[in-house]
Amino acid sequence: MANHMNAASHGAKAPSLLGGAMIIAGTTVGAGMFSLPVVGAGMWFGWSLVLMVVIWLCMLTSGLLLLETNLRYEPGASFDTLTRDTLGRFGRIVNGLSIAFVLYILTYAYISGGGSIVNHSLEGLGISLPQSVAGLVFALVLAAVVMISTRAVDRITTIMLGGMVITFFLAVGNLLIEVDTLKLFSPDSEPRFAPFLWAAIPFGLASFGYHGNVPSLVKYYGKQPSVIIKAIAIGTFIALVIYVCWLLAAMGNLPRSQFSEIIAQGGNMGVLVSALSGVMASEWLGKMLTLFANLAVASSFLGVTLGLFDYLADLFGFTDSRTGRLKTAAVTFLPPTLLGILFPNGFLIAIGFAALAATVWTLLVPGMMAFKLRSREPNYQGFVVPGGNGVIYLVIAFGVLTAACHLLAMAELLPLFK
């Protein structure tokens, strides 16, 4: 993504609003969306819709609080610089660890999801592989791309995004035409819905993680808060619309009872895609959905691991030589790939853990930094998120609630749809 930005800032006089919005939307939408219908099956469509809108508003606000902090520094100041100056050494370390943990756990989630979807694709060709082997193949092929160079990732991701847009519209468009309103609004099986909302909150939060891009946008546009605010709002709103269409497509075509079977089989990407392909009008459209899932998980994997690769190279001081890149690749890919081989079906669990750590740097840290700077410079004349400190308290409270929901769900103290 950095490559897109640099090219844009050199080539054109004023970077376009659309470019920034697409960077945000592209970062936000990823393979994590395949967890949404599965974890939302308990509360079903109505409550899922309410939850997604609330989470979108909270994550949009926290991103704007991060922007408020970022604009008080020179363009190019990273998350690391901001936390060091506002929250001290301890805050910087906690933030750094949470970012590294999220990137690692998402890499594992995408290896698990990638293995599952590669397996589903191969079954269509009559080839059967153990899922751990499929995950290993998926990881090795894409790790090689990251190792080659950032430019390779940039080019391949651009092609993949184009393919994702086409296959998403073909496959999901068809599912949307076939939506059965009876399935959506009067689903079968258990009549309880609202109690299942709490356990789903962390997964919704994991679907709106774009905060690492806010410093990049400040660098990209310079100190132009109005343009950056629009880019963040439009980009995250595009993501919200995509998620709602996806939930509509899945829940309007599969009965609620079938999600119990999907969850019983581990709830991985391949299981959900297989169930949806089974209700599609033609085999060709089923193939489009499978292709979309493959592209989504591969581009998510490349985006996350490139960030992790650069982060670790910087952390350990590895050079950009062949040997240096090999060392960085070993530290980046070996731990999550090993996990993927040992626990091939951990996609949903990993997304939940990613959300737990992401609450730190997407909600708690932006809120705390803005609070600290507002009290340090009460007469600051630049951009300030409206709503006073009440907005900050709301964002931090939502972060605490999300973390609590994840821990309570893990301890099975919240109602879980099974």
Side-chain angles (χ1 to χ4, degrees), residues 168-221:
F168 181 79
F169 277 113
L170 286 170
V172 178
N174 174 263
L175 285 169
L176 288 173
I177 294 164
E178 302 293 326
V179 161
D180 176 354
T181 45
L182 272 175
K183 285 194 176 94
L184 272 185
F185 299 111
S186 52
D188 54 359
S189 73
E190 188 174 354
R192 293 187 310 147
F193 301 102
F196 296 112
L197 179 139
W198 303 105
I201 290 175
F203 294 88
L205 179 136
S207 305
F208 282 102
Y210 63 90
H211 297 64
N213 283 51
V214 174
S216 311
L217 285 187
V218 174
K219 190 176 170 184
Y220 185 42
Y221 289 111

Side-chain angles (χ1 to χ4, degrees), residues 198-199 202 352-353 356 400-414:
W198 303 105
F353 271 112
L356 179 66
V400 173
L401 173 73
T402 306
C405 285
H406 178 74
L407 296 170
L408 291 169
M410 270 182 63
E412 301 204 350
L413 295 171
L414 285 179

Side-chain angles (χ1 to χ4, degrees), residues 333-400:
F333 297 108
L334 283 176
T337 306
L338 258 168
L339 265 181
I341 294 167
L342 295 172
F343 308 102
N345 254 331
F347 178 67
L348 284 180
I349 297 166
I351 296 281
F353 271 112
L356 179 66
T359 50
V360 175
W361 58 282
T362 62
L363 291 163
L364 305 181
V365 165
M368 285 155 68
M369 290 197 300
F371 184 79
K372 185 80 181 275
L373 288 170
R374 283 182 187 188
S375 46
R376 195 196 285 178
E377 303 167 31
N379 301 320
Y380 175 69
Q381 293 300 305
F383 166 69
V384 173
V385 178
N389 284 345
V391 167
I392 294 179
Y393 301 143
L394 263 174
V395 163
I396 290 175
F398 182 67
V400 173

